[in-house]
């Protein structure tokens, strides 16, 4: 049925939140140009932090903080007059946030690693750059047990070859404590870093200097807490293979998410010394062109990994989420998006309720026809409410050849950047929401297009909200002005 609400306010946007735990939402962060969602994490208050970037043209770090329903609580951009690209963001132990990436706006070279520490409201605590006269990028970072930070990526300023895997260790205030390069005569890149239970670090990436392939192999590097090299391993076959994500598992070993043969998703499980225990390749039936983004060990001892697939159902590239048991056997697999394309970069997490949060980019669901930031919250079975399909994969366990290789060098300097901070307008579009049904598990409300607000925009006028629902539900209706300020809130029973 219809509900009518009247109020006097300024330019209005609306979000309708029921008792929703799972949803899909998009965020237009550029006013019609391309925006990208690079990394996300559930925060200690139950909400989410999203690290994205603006584009095309000059890019900036773009941070969105939401509540548990994905509604924006604040947003900020950080950067300078040239390209600044974010790769990772994490909540810190002081309830602030740490983000890393690359910058052309500041630093000593063409591109430098860029690190920014902000407080819980998005205010800068410090920002610094790290690198040499040529190019560096920081692709993955974590806060370390001593309160500092470690960043991995690649460098052309230091090391042995064209690109070398690069590791930078910082104090809690951003002071450079040590930096290391690992590599050979060709190219190595670090794509994921994780602190291990012994206080050291493990990094996954790719190598063309070592291994079996004439193109590229998965590369894993283990350092102690001081950055000294303990061991390296390569994993590969006859095709091009690269490691995109690594985590330590509860048995002290490691799970590696990789892309193999240039277009297939793969998991590699090793012991604590990098000795191969098992590996699986997941090939989509009838389609290809897939890549892995992130892997996690789940609370049941299995694994979940996100990536990008060419979805045979949608006929376009979509975001995928695959859940396996502890041996890598698929339990379920989903794809999210539609016919115009979606992409996820480097981030997925299991949430406190057993579900999953993923961010990326969508063109199918974008408000303006360009690319918008895309946030997907699922339940423990991968259900988010709409724009999803089941995907069939074939599993195989081909022979992997394991080798070692890589020397170590030091290198790196620090400079302090003059980061510019702005607070732009972010337009949120709820795509779909799951509401608990009474004795029926989960019900899906139809698309948000069934909610109409008019007139919109409105200045000092009565505003009517028309909600057509296919089943009763309890809702919380919240209206915000163009600056994100709450101007009206009311709990309503929609019949």
């Amino acid at each position: 049925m219809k509900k009518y609400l009247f109020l006097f306010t300024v330019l209005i946007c609306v979000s309708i939140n029921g008792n929703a735990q799972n949803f899909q939402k998009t965020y237009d962060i550029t006013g019609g140009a391309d925006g990208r969602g690079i990394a996300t994490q559930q925060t200690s208050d139950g909400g989410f932090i999203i690290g994205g970037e603006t584009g095309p043209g000059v890019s900036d770090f773009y941070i969105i903080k939401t509540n548990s329903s994905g509604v924006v609580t604040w947003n900020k951009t950080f950067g300078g007059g040239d390209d600044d690209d974010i790769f990772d963001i994490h909540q810190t132990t002081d309830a602030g946030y740490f983000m890393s990436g690359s910058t052309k706006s500041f630093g000593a070279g063409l591109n430098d690693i860029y690190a920014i520490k902000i407080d819980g409201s998005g205010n800068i605590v410090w920002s610094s750059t790290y690198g040499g006269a040529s190019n560096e990028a920081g692709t993955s970072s974590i806060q370390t047990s001593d309160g500092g930070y470690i960043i991995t990526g690649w460098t052309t300023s230091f090391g042995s070859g064209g690109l070398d895997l690069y590791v930078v260790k910082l104090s809690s205030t951003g002071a450079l404590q040590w930096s290391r390069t690992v590599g050979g005569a060709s190219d190595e890149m670090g794509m994921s870093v994780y602190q291990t239970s012994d206080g050291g670090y493990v990094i996954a990436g790719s190598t063309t200097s070592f291994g079996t392939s004439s193109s590229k192999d998965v590369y894993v590097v283990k350092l102690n807490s001081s950055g000294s090299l303990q061991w390296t391993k390569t994993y590969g076959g006859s095709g091009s293979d690269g490691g995109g994500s690594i985590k330590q598992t509860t048995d002290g070993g490691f799970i590696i998410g990789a892309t193999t043969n240039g277009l297939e998703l793969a998991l590699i499980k090793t012991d604590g010394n990098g000795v191969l225990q098992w590996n699986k390749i997941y090939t989509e039936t009838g389609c290809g062109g897939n890549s892995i983004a992130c892997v996690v060990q789940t609370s049941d001892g299995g694994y979940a990994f996100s990536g990008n697939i060419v979805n045979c159902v949608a006929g376009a590239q979509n975001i995928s989420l695959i859940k396996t048991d502890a041996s890598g056997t698929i339990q379920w697999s989903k794809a999210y998006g539609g016919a115009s394309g979606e992409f996820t970069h480097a981030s997925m997490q299991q949430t406190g309720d057993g579900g999953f949060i993923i961010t990326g980019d969508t063109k199918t669901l974008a408000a303006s026809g360009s690319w918008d930031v895309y946030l997907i919250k699922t339940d423990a079975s991968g259900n988010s409410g709409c724009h999803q399909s089941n995907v069939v994969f074939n599993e195989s366990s081909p022979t992997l050849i394991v080798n070692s290789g890589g020397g170590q060098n030091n290198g790196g300097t620090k400079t302090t950047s003059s980061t510019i901070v702005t607070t732009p307008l972010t337009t949120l579009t709820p795509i779909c929401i799951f509401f608990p049904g009474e004795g029926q598990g989960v019900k899906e409300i139809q698309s948000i297009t069934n909610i109409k607000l008019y007139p919109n925009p409105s200045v000092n006028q009565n505003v009517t909200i028309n909600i057509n629902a296919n089943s009763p539900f309890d809702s919380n209706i919240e209206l915000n002005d163009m600056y994100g300020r709450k101007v009206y809130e009311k709990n309503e029973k929609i019949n």
Side-chain angles (χ1 to χ4, degrees):
M1 65 173 292
K2 298 179 180 179
K3 293 286 182 179
Y4 298 99
L5 301 179
F6 304 95
L7 67 158
F8 293 91
T9 185
V10 293
L11 181 64
I12 294 295
C13 60
V14 63
S15 63
I16 310 295
N17 301 315
N19 298 317
Q21 297 297 320
N22 313 300
F23 54 81
Q24 294 185 24
K25 297 194 175 179
T26 68
Y27 306 84
D28 180 2
I29 64 175
T30 60
D34 289 342
R36 292 175 288 277
I38 308 297
T40 191
Q41 184 186 46
Q42 188 172 38
T43 51
S44 56
D45 62 0
F48 305 100
I49 192 77
I50 306 168
E53 61 185 42
T54 58
V58 174
S59 57
D60 281 339
F61 287 24
Y62 196 110
I63 310 305
I64 304 170
K65 176 67 179 74
T66 81
N67 66 12
S68 60
S69 299
V71 176
V72 177
T73 56
W74 57 260
N75 56 286
K76 297 283 180 75
T77 67
F78 304 86
D82 213 321
D83 286 331
D84 306 295
D85 299 317
I86 193 170
F87 290 99
D88 213 349
I89 189 167
H90 298 278
Q91 188 172 36
T92 51
T93 53
D94 62 359
Y97 304 96
F98 178 79
M99 43 190 159
S100 61
S102 67
T103 178
K104 291 179 71 174
S105 299
F106 316 106
L110 301 176
N111 286 278
D112 276 5
I113 290 176
Y114 194 22
I116 303 175
K117 174 69 174 70
I118 59 176
D119 65 18
S121 300
N123 302 306
I124 285 186
V125 178
W126 55 261
S127 62
S128 296
T129 66
Y130 309 88
S134 191
N135 288 292
E136 284 75 37
T139 55
S140 174
S141 61
I142 55 170
Q143 187 174 28
T144 52
S145 57
D146 62 359
Y149 307 94
I150 192 160
I151 306 171
T152 193
W154 53 265
T155 177
T156 60
S157 300
F158 316 104
S160 304
L163 295 174
D164 270 18
L165 185 149
Y166 196 32
V167 187
V168 176
K169 176 64 176 71
L170 312 178
S171 72
S172 61
T173 58
L176 180 63
Q177 294 181 311
W178 50 260
S179 61
R180 303 285 188 267
T181 68
V182 183
S186 293
D187 292 334
E188 283 69 45
M189 298 178 66
M191 297 301 296
S192 178
V193 63
Y194 193 85
Q195 187 168 30
T196 50
S197 56
D198 62 1
Y201 308 97
V202 65
I203 299 117
S206 63
T207 177
T208 58
S209 300
F210 315 105
T212 62
S213 173
S214 59
S215 52
K216 187 171 63 173
D217 274 5
V218 176
Y219 196 34
V220 175
V221 174
K222 177 65 173 68
L223 307 178
N224 68 12
S225 59
S226 300
S228 297
L229 184 64
Q230 293 182 299
W231 51 261
T232 65
K233 298 287 185 181
T234 68
Y235 309 88
S238 59
S240 177
D241 312 300
S245 181
I246 192 167
K247 301 290 190 301
Q248 189 169 36
T249 51
T250 53
D251 62 0
F254 302 102
I255 188 73
I256 305 160
T259 302
T260 187
N261 296 323
L263 48 75
E264 296 170 325
L265 308 174
L267 292 182
I268 301 169
K269 176 66 176 70
T270 78
D271 68 11
N273 294 310
V275 176
L276 182 66
Q277 294 179 315
W278 56 261
N279 65 287
K280 289 282 185 79
I281 289 179
Y282 307 92
T283 306
E284 187 185 3
T285 303
C287 294
N290 306 330
S291 62
I292 205 160
C294 185
V295 65
V296 298
Q297 187 171 32
T298 50
S299 55
D300 62 359
Y303 305 99
F305 58 98
S306 59
N308 303 289
I309 65 169
V310 176
N311 185 355
C312 297
V313 176
Q317 179 173 266
N318 287 172
I319 293 170
S320 64
L321 179 63
I322 300 170
K323 175 68 175 67
T324 79
D325 64 16
S327 300
T329 300
I330 289 180
Q331 296 175 310
W332 52 260
S333 53
K334 303 285 186 182
Y336 308 94
S340 297
E342 283 70 38
F343 193 86
T344 186
H345 297 264
S347 185
M348 178 270 297
Q349 183 193 30
Q350 189 171 33
T351 50
D353 61 0
F356 299 92
I357 190 75
I358 313 168
T359 194
D361 327 326
T362 177
K363 192 168 186 180
T364 305
L365 307 173
S368 62
S370 297
W371 291 83
D372 281 356
V373 174
Y374 190 25
L375 188 66
I376 306 166
K377 170 66 178 69
T378 81
D379 65 12
S381 299
N383 298 308
S384 64
C386 63
H387 299 287
Q388 67 180 47
S389 59
N390 296 319
V391 186
V392 178
F393 288 89
N394 296 318
E395 301 177 31
S396 61
S397 298
T399 300
L400 278 186
I401 300 174
V402 183
N403 287 305
S404 301
Q408 184 179 43
N409 294 290
N410 300 328
T413 59
K414 174 199 170 186
T415 61
T416 301
S417 65
S418 301
T419 299
I420 301 169
V421 185
T422 63
T423 305
L425 174 66
T426 296
T427 303
L428 164 66
T429 303
I431 302 301
C432 55
I433 309 171
F434 262 11
F435 295 91
E438 305 219 345
Q440 302 179 24
V442 175
K443 290 183 179 180
E444 180 185 341
I445 279 294
Q446 296 173 2
S447 169
I448 201 69
T449 57
N450 287 330
I451 300 174
K452 296 180 180 179
L453 175 71
Y454 51 89
N456 185 23
S458 172
V459 180
N460 297 326
Q461 294 175 269
N462 291 340
V463 174
T464 301
I465 301 175
N466 181 347
I467 304 173
N468 287 318
N470 54 9
S471 60
F473 65 92
D474 294 321
S475 73
N476 174 261
I477 299 175
E478 179 181 311
L479 300 180
N480 301 316
D481 68 16
M482 65 182 295
Y483 301 104
R485 297 174 298 202
K486 185 188 299 183
V487 296
Y488 179 87
E489 184 175 22
K490 186 177 181 181
N491 293 320
E492 280 285 325
K493 176 74 173 181
I494 309 298
N495 295 312

